[in-house]
Amino acid sequence: MSYWWFFLFHQEFSTKLKTFLASYSSNNPRTAVKLFHRIYDYFLATPQPVSLNFLQEILTNLQIYQDGLEWGEVNYLKQIYLLFQTQPVWLNTLSQVLSEPLLTVTNNFEPFLLKKGYLLKTSRGRVLTNKAVEFLKNIT
């Protein structure tokens, strides 16, 4: 695969835009490159000058949120908040509410949310943190 386009497109990004994109890539280089590819594809379809507003529009359309949260993780947080607010909820209940297998919830959604501080594991179940509640209030 040729990466010549990467260098041409990369020249248009200021340090501010690069920092903004890094905050949406989970601080993971592989995720950042994948995100950069998706933004470049979007840029080819709708050529505009690269700006912060344009990047925000792209990320909104791609359903990628602050801290690298994607639709599945945001849906997980929303369901807990809408149904249980800040009360503890058991994993089996969450699995049924999300219509996802238990292993998908524990292996795909929870590790990242726990690491980023959006979710707490307690002896009574999973609980949203204040950070998660504020995040959900800001996106809706």
Side-chain angles (χ1 to χ4, degrees), residues 24 54-65:
Y24 279 76
F54 183 52
L55 286 180
Q56 287 174 331
E57 176 188 334
I58 293 170
L59 293 169
T60 301
N61 290 340
L62 294 173
Q63 294 182 334
I64 298 172
Y65 302 91

Side-chain angles (χ1 to χ4, degrees), residues 2-131:
S2 176
Y3 289 102
W4 62 269
W5 59 267
F6 177 81
F7 296 108
L8 294 175
F9 192 58
H10 188 269
Q11 300 297 325
E12 298 181 35
F13 276 71
S14 68
T15 304
K16 182 178 178 181
L17 293 177
K18 290 175 189 173
T19 305
F20 176 76
L21 272 181
S23 72
Y24 279 76
S25 68
S26 314
N27 294 325
N28 180 330
R30 184 173 294 172
T31 305
V33 170
K34 183 175 112 178
L35 182 59
F36 199 78
H37 281 272
R38 293 173 75 186
I39 289 171
Y40 181 73
D41 290 342
Y42 196 97
F43 178 74
L44 288 177
T46 58
Q48 294 181 23
V50 179
S51 68
L52 190 59
N53 291 337
F54 183 52
L55 286 180
Q56 287 174 331
E57 176 188 334
I58 293 170
L59 293 169
T60 301
N61 290 340
L62 294 173
Q63 294 182 334
I64 298 172
Y65 302 91
Q66 188 68 34
D67 282 341
L69 295 176
E70 293 185 355
W71 183 85
E73 290 122 354
V74 172
N75 185 44
Y76 178 95
L77 295 173
K78 278 183 182 179
Q79 294 303 319
I80 295 174
Y81 186 67
L82 292 174
L83 299 173
F84 307 101
Q85 298 294 318
T86 55
Q87 300 298 316
V89 57
W90 286 100
L91 191 56
N92 290 336
T93 307
L94 274 176
S95 177
Q96 290 174 356
V97 166
L98 295 170
S99 299
E100 293 283 350
L102 192 61
L103 286 175
T104 301
V105 172
T106 57
N107 293 341
N108 294 351
F109 299 138
E110 286 192 346
F112 186 68
L113 294 172
L114 289 165
K115 178 182 171 189
K116 290 293 185 176
Y118 289 101
L119 189 67
L120 292 175
K121 271 188 188 180
T122 66
S123 59
R124 296 178 56 210
R126 280 24 176 202
V127 179
L128 292 181
T129 62
N130 291 335
K131 181 179 179 180

